[in-house]
Amino acid sequence: MFAEVAFPISNFKTFTYQIPEKLIAETHVGSRVLAPFRRQQKEGIIVNILTSSSFKGETKLINKLIDNYQIVTPELWELINWISNYYMTPLGQVAKTVFPKNLSTRYKPQKLWFVESRIDINPLQFEKLKKRAPKQYEVLKLVTTESRPLQVSLLKNFASNPLQICKSLEQDKLVKLFEKEVKPNSDHFSFSPIKKKITLDRSQEEVANLIKISLDSNIYNPYLLHGVTGSGKTEIYIESVKYCLGKGKTSIILLPEISLTPQIAGRFRSVFGDRVALWHSKLNQQQRSWTWKEICKGTFKVVIGARSAIFSPLKDLGLVVIDEEQEASFRQDSPSPRYHARDVALMRARLSKAVIILASATPSLESYYNRQKNKLKYLHLPNRFGGAKQPKVHLVDMLKEQEETGKFGQVISGFLQNKIEERLNSNEQVILLQNRRGFSPTIKCGDCGEIAMCPNCNVTFSYHRKTNNLLCHFCGFSRLNEKQSCTECGSKSLLYFGAGTQKVQALLEETFPEASIERLDMDTTTSGINITKILAAFNNGEIDILLGTQMIAKGLDFPNATLVGIINADQGLYLPDFRSGERVFQLIYQASGRSGRHQKPGEVVIQTYSPDNPVIRCAAELDMDKYYEIALREREELDYPPFSWLSKIEIADKNYKRVSKLASTISRKIIGGYSGLEILGPAPCYIEKLRGYYRFQIIFKSQKVIDPNGKKLHSFIKTNFHGFNKNYSNSQSRISIHFDPLSLI
C-alpha cells in the first residue's frame, strides 16, 4: 500500500511513500505522518491512499503515525480541501494550520511527585527528627497538616531540594511518596464560575426557540443575531449550547479578542462545568497539547476561543457561534492560508449540517447586506436585558474646547474630567478608550524637523515612557531612547506629539491621585493571566478607572461601569481604506455599549475634532441603520464589497526597483479579463515599506451583478496566479494572494 503525502511547503506537489505493513490498518486519508523528506524527518498529511505506485524510483517508507487514532472527520477533511482550493494554498500548509505542530493524541501529561503523611507517626519520632534533621522536621510538620497529598515542588520555600528530603522521610516510613499525571491548569484564563439565575425575556425566548427548531432539523442554517449592546446575547448562546448538548452535538464559540475569554468562559463553566475547553494563543505548550488531545477524545463538548478554534477536531458539530462577527481579528493575513474565520466557519457549518450564528450589535456591512438579501436568517434583540436603558451620549467638540479654554492639544476635556469625578464620588466605575498604545505616537526634532522613523517600516516610532524606548508597532523593532536626542542633528529639543494609553494613564494619575487606575493594552497583557487578573479586579470593584485600547470596547459586561469616555473618536477615521468609517463607527458604538448595562443609568462622552462627520454623528446617536445605509450607498457608488468581490496580489521585496519592476511585469502578463472586472494598479501600498520589504499591490474588483458567487474572479486569479512562485517569484521577492481582503492598506 502507498500514500500520497502533502508537506507544509509552498507548492501543491505531493510525494509517494510506502506504508509499512504494521501501519496499514491504522492509516487513513487525513492521517498525520512523519516521513523522510529532503534529508530530514518532516510532518505531513496523507491526501490519498493507493494500492500501487507509478513512481519508478525508490519509494521510501513512512516512519510513523503522529496520532494513535483517527482525528480527521470526513467534514473536517472536506473543509481542509475547501480552504486549500478557495485560498489557493497547498494542502500541507492548510493542514499545518488546522493541526498545529507538536500536538498529538499521544501526548501524556507531565508526571509530578506528591507526598502525604502516614497516619501512625509516633510523636517521639517528631522530636528526634527535630534535633537530627530540622529541614526534614519542617517538611514533615507541613505535610501532616494537609488533608490531601501535597505537590512536592510546592515545598521549595522550605527546602532547596524537597524531593530528596521527602525520599529520606519515606525511607524512614514517615511519609508516602508517589508520582501521578497532572493535567495542565487553565483556570487562570477564566473568571470563577459566574452563576446567574436567568429568566429570558420575550424577545430572547423567541430567538432561542427559533434556534432550537433549527437544531432539531439537522440541516445547515445560517443566522445573523443582531442584538443591541447589553441585550443578553450570551444568554442566547448558553441556551442554544444547552439544547445542542442535549441532542448529543458539540459546539464552537469564536471570540475576536482574548480579553473576552475570561468573562464568557466563567459564564459557560458555571453552566457546563468541565465540558468546556478554552483555545487561544496565550495557552502554553502543555495546556495546548492536553486540551487538544482531550478535544480529540471527546472529553470536551464546547470549545471557546479565538479564530483557530474553528479547526477544533470536535465530532458531531451542531452549533457554531461567532461573537462580534464584524471584527477584523477573525482574519489571518499571514502566513498562508490567508483566511477569514467567519467564512471558514460558515463552510464548516454547511459541511457539518450545523446551525451557525453570526452575532453582533454592529454587524459587518457584508452580513448586514446578506441579511437584506435573505442569505442570512435574521434574529433581533432590540432591547437591553433586564430593562436597562441605552446610555446618554455627549459629543465634545475638541476644537471648540480649545477655543474656549485656550488649551491646545488637550487630551481629556473639562467635560469628561467632570463626568469622571462625578462617577468616582458616586463609587461607580469608568471605562476609557484610547485606541493607541504607548506614550506618544510621534517624536519630532524641534530644531531640524526630523521625525523618528522605524528603519524597517515607513511608519513613525512610538515613544514608550515606561521602558524609555522607541517602538515600531508594526515590526516590533525598538531603540532605547537613552540620549533623548535627535539622531540627525544631536539636538535635545525633542517634541512628543499625540497621546497613547501611557500618556492618558499618567494624566489620570495626576488628576485623580486617589483613584485606582489600570491599563489594558498589548503592553500590559503579554500573558493571558494578566488579562484575567485586571478584568476580574475591575469586575470586583477593586479598580475605579479601566483604560485601554479596543480590547475593552466590546463584549464585556460590568454592572457598576456607568461612564465610558472615548478619548479620540477620530482615530483611524481618515485612513485611505474603504472600511475605515465602518470600523470607527463600530468601535465607538461598541465602546458606548459598555456603559449602564444594568440598573444604574449610563453615560458616554465622545471627544472628537470632527463632530459633523456622519460616522461620528451616527455613532453618537447610536443609529446603526442610518449609518449603514449611508455606507452602503458609498460602497455601491465605488463598487466595493458587499457589491463586488475583492482580491489583492501583494508583491514585496527589500529592493524598491526590483519590486517595482516585478509588479509591472506581473501586471503586463495578466490575461483573460471579463466584463465587470476592474483592475487597479500596480501601485505602492499605503504603508509602502513594512518589516524591511517594499510593497506593491494589484487590486481586482469583480461586480456581483455579473459575478454573483465570485467564481469568475476566482477562476481568473487561478488562471493568472496558480503556481505564481514558479512563474514570477525569485529568491528575493515575495508574492501573496489575498481573497476577500479586509484592508487595502
Side-chain angles (χ1 to χ4, degrees):
M1 296 289 286
F2 298 87
E4 290 182 355
V5 179
F7 293 98
I9 55 178
S10 59
N11 65 50
F12 290 80
K13 188 176 180 182
T14 59
F15 301 84
T16 304
Y17 289 84
Q18 190 173 346
I19 304 172
E21 194 171 332
K22 63 181 180 180
L23 298 180
I24 288 175
E26 303 171 61
T27 304
H28 310 274
V29 169
S31 293
R32 295 187 300 164
V33 298
L34 197 67
F37 182 79
R38 293 178 184 170
R39 299 181 182 178
Q40 59 178 317
Q41 299 299 315
K42 202 169 184 70
E43 192 175 301
I45 191 163
I46 294 177
V47 302
N48 199 9
I49 293 178
L50 311 166
T51 54
S52 61
S53 170
S54 58
F55 183 64
K56 301 299 181 184
E58 180 190 356
T59 305
K60 295 179 180 178
L61 284 168
I62 288 170
N63 282 352
K64 69 173 185 178
L65 295 173
I66 302 294
D67 305 294
N68 53 2
Y69 52 83
Q70 191 172 4
I71 58 171
V72 181
T73 62
E75 295 82 8
L76 196 52
W77 181 244
E78 281 188 79
L79 183 70
I80 290 170
N81 279 275
W82 178 83
I83 294 171
S84 174
N85 178 62
Y86 188 81
Y87 294 105
M88 283 175 58
T89 305
L91 270 172
Q93 287 189 349
V94 177
K96 185 180 178 182
T97 298
V98 176
F99 307 116
K101 194 176 180 181
N102 299 326
L103 297 183
S104 168
T105 58
R106 299 180 192 274
Y107 171 79
K108 291 184 178 180
Q110 183 182 7
K111 280 190 172 183
L112 296 176
W113 285 100
F114 284 81
V115 61
E116 62 180 349
S117 66
R118 293 182 178 273
I119 302 172
D120 52 348
I121 301 178
N122 191 315
L124 291 175
Q125 291 177 291
F126 267 102
E127 292 303 317
K128 288 180 181 178
L129 196 62
K130 187 175 183 179
K131 295 177 182 177
R132 178 173 58 83
K135 286 287 183 184
Q136 290 184 29
Y137 169 78
E138 290 294 332
V139 169
L140 182 61
K141 188 178 176 183
L142 179 66
V143 171
T144 53
T145 61
E146 295 291 327
S147 58
R148 298 178 181 178
L150 191 64
Q151 190 176 311
V152 172
S153 59
L154 298 178
L155 298 169
K156 285 188 176 179
N157 291 335
F158 296 88
S160 57
N161 191 350
L163 180 59
Q164 190 57 50
I165 287 177
C166 289
K167 285 182 177 179
S168 299
L169 290 170
E170 185 184 40
Q171 286 179 356
D172 293 338
K173 297 183 179 180
L174 297 173
V175 299
K176 295 177 183 176
L177 192 61
F178 58 93
E179 276 187 296
K180 74 172 181 177
E181 288 184 350
V182 178
K183 70 176 184 180
N185 184 11
S186 60
D187 289 348
H188 45 262
F189 293 115
S190 167
F191 282 12
S192 298
I194 305 166
K195 297 186 182 296
K196 288 184 179 180
K197 187 177 181 181
I198 298 294
T199 302
L200 301 184
D201 63 24
R202 184 177 176 181
S203 60
Q204 285 179 314
E205 277 190 355
E206 288 175 359
V207 167
N209 288 336
L210 285 170
I211 294 170
K212 290 174 183 178
I213 291 168
S214 290
L215 287 167
D216 284 335
S217 68
N218 293 316
I219 60 172
Y220 169 64
N221 263 310
Y223 286 100
L224 174 62
L225 173 56
H226 176 210
V228 299
T229 55
S231 58
K233 292 185 287 294
T234 301
E235 306 310 326
I236 298 295
Y237 307 159
I238 290 173
E239 195 68 21
S240 301
V241 169
K242 193 184 297 182
Y243 195 79
C244 188
L245 292 179
K247 292 179 62 62
K249 300 275 190 175
T250 59
S251 304
I252 296 174
I253 314 294
L254 293 187
L255 304 174
E257 298 275 2
I258 293 172
S259 60
L260 300 184
T261 307
Q263 197 168 62
I264 201 167
R267 288 287 294 112
F268 268 72
R269 283 183 166 172
S270 71
V271 179
F272 304 111
D274 293 337
R275 291 179 290 177
V276 177
L278 302 183
W279 188 261
H280 52 69
S281 60
K282 298 296 184 183
L283 298 175
N284 63 34
Q285 185 58 47
Q286 289 79 20
Q287 290 164 338
R288 286 168 65 83
S289 297
W290 181 81
T291 301
W292 194 79
K293 178 183 177 180
E294 295 302 310
I295 292 172
C296 290
K297 284 171 59 179
T299 304
F300 293 120
K301 304 298 182 182
V302 183
V303 176
I304 299 173
R307 63 171 178 255
S308 61
I310 192 56
F311 302 122
S312 300
L314 289 167
K315 298 176 179 65
D316 301 315
L317 184 65
L319 177 69
V320 180
V321 175
I322 307 181
D323 192 33
E324 308 297 351
E325 63 87 26
Q326 81 284 355
E327 280 300 309
S329 55
F330 284 125
R331 169 84 188 189
Q332 174 169 296
D333 279 321
S334 184
S336 292
R338 297 174 173 86
Y339 69 94
H340 197 304
R342 179 188 62 212
D343 299 334
V344 171
L346 285 163
M347 181 52 66
R348 182 164 188 189
R350 182 187 292 274
L351 294 171
S352 302
K353 296 181 175 60
V355 172
I356 180 167
I357 302 170
L358 311 185
S360 178
T362 55
S364 63
L365 270 176
E366 282 85 350
S367 295
Y368 184 85
Y369 178 78
N370 285 335
R371 163 245 168 164
Q372 291 181 335
K373 296 297 179 182
N374 296 317
K375 291 184 178 180
L376 295 171
K377 297 176 183 179
Y378 188 58
L379 303 172
H380 193 207
L381 297 174
N383 302 309
R384 283 192 152 187
F385 183 69
K389 303 297 182 185
Q390 289 283 18
K392 183 179 180 181
V393 182
H394 308 276
L395 203 59
V396 177
D397 184 341
M398 295 300 284
L399 288 174
K400 277 188 179 179
E401 178 89 6
Q402 285 182 174
E403 291 171 7
E404 292 171 1
T405 62
K407 297 177 181 177
F408 292 87
Q410 201 170 1
V411 176
I412 300 175
S413 64
F415 184 83
L416 177 55
Q417 186 173 321
N418 290 338
K419 288 294 180 184
I420 293 172
E421 196 163 346
E422 285 176 16
R423 290 308 187 277
L424 294 178
N425 290 336
S426 302
N427 292 319
E428 294 172 8
Q429 292 170 293
V430 179
I431 295 175
L432 296 177
L433 171 70
Q434 172 66 342
N435 200 24
R436 176 173 269 169
R437 62 191 177 105
F439 190 84
S440 293
T442 306
I443 305 97
K444 182 179 179 180
C445 177
D447 289 334
C448 72
E450 181 71 16
I451 294 176
M453 302 286 289
C454 172
N456 301 322
C457 307
N458 191 26
V459 296
T460 60
F461 272 127
S462 289
Y463 175 57
H464 286 239
R465 191 168 74 170
K466 188 174 181 180
T467 53
N468 192 31
N469 71 343
L470 306 181
L471 176 66
C472 175
H473 289 170
F474 286 85
C475 71
F477 180 85
S478 66
R479 189 174 73 213
L480 191 64
N481 196 28
E482 189 175 10
K483 296 180 180 179
Q484 297 187 355
S485 59
C486 175
T487 55
E488 289 297 309
C489 70
S491 170
K492 296 284 186 180
S493 301
L494 295 183
L495 305 174
Y496 297 86
F497 293 102
T501 49
Q502 288 184 5
K503 179 182 276 190
V504 177
Q505 183 179 17
L507 288 169
L508 289 170
E509 288 171 345
E510 184 180 321
T511 309
F512 305 105
E514 302 300 318
S516 171
I517 302 166
E518 283 290 346
R519 176 165 51 90
L520 198 65
D521 58 22
M522 289 287 287
D523 299 319
T524 61
T525 57
T526 51
S527 75
I529 299 172
N530 209 33
I531 295 174
T532 309
K533 182 181 175 183
I534 293 172
L535 291 176
F538 190 71
N539 190 62
N540 296 335
E542 298 163 26
I543 296 169
D544 300 313
I545 302 174
L546 179 63
L547 164 70
T549 55
Q550 64 180 5
M551 298 173 73
I552 63 169
K554 61 193 81 73
L556 297 170
D557 183 6
F558 300 111
N560 199 38
T562 57
L563 176 66
V564 166
I566 299 170
I567 305 295
N568 183 4
D570 307 334
Q571 184 77 42
L573 185 59
Y574 297 107
L575 287 173
D577 188 75
F578 71 99
R579 293 187 198 273
S580 58
E582 178 188 359
R583 287 188 182 128
V584 171
F585 174 86
Q586 289 166 343
L587 185 62
I588 295 172
Y589 188 105
Q590 290 278 356
S592 301
R594 300 315 105 207
S595 176
R597 294 170 66 92
H598 293 262
Q599 297 307 311
K600 295 179 182 179
E603 287 186 277
V604 179
V605 177
I606 300 173
Q607 298 185 162
T608 177
Y609 290 90
S610 310
D612 296 323
N613 187 292
V615 174
I616 304 296
R617 182 61 62 185
C618 291
E621 294 168 359
L622 300 178
D623 194 338
M624 191 199 80
D625 289 334
K626 181 180 176 181
Y627 172 69
Y628 277 29
E629 290 309 312
I630 294 171
L632 284 173
R633 283 198 303 271
E634 290 176 351
R635 297 275 183 94
E636 189 170 21
E637 287 174 11
L638 297 170
D639 206 18
Y640 275 110
F643 299 96
S644 67
W645 298 102
L646 208 61
S647 187
K648 176 176 76 172
I649 305 298
E650 186 179 295
I651 307 108
D653 198 298
K654 291 186 176 181
N655 182 283
Y656 182 85
K657 288 184 178 179
R658 192 162 54 219
V659 71
S660 177
K661 183 179 178 181
L662 179 57
S664 298
T665 300
I666 291 172
S667 180
R668 286 196 307 272
K669 290 187 177 182
I670 290 173
I671 58 170
Y674 56 88
S675 173
L677 176 68
E678 184 181 0
I679 302 175
L680 306 176
C685 297
Y686 172 68
I687 303 177
E688 189 175 21
K689 188 182 181 186
L690 194 65
R691 299 179 183 91
Y693 282 82
Y694 293 97
R695 305 184 305 144
F696 274 66
Q697 63 184 9
I698 306 172
I699 308 299
F700 303 91
K701 291 195 289 184
S702 184
Q703 295 175 4
K704 283 191 177 178
V705 292
I706 302 227
D707 185 17
N709 52 21
K711 286 186 177 180
K712 283 189 176 183
L713 178 60
H714 210 272
S715 177
F716 171 83
I717 297 293
K718 269 196 169 181
T719 299
N720 284 279
F721 295 100
H722 194 279
F724 60 88
N725 282 316
K726 181 180 177 183
N727 297 330
Y728 299 117
S729 195
N730 52 58
S731 58
Q732 294 90 12
S733 302
R734 298 177 180 176
I735 302 174
S736 55
I737 302 172
H738 301 255
F739 286 101
D740 313 315
L742 291 185
S743 172
L744 300 182
I745 290 180

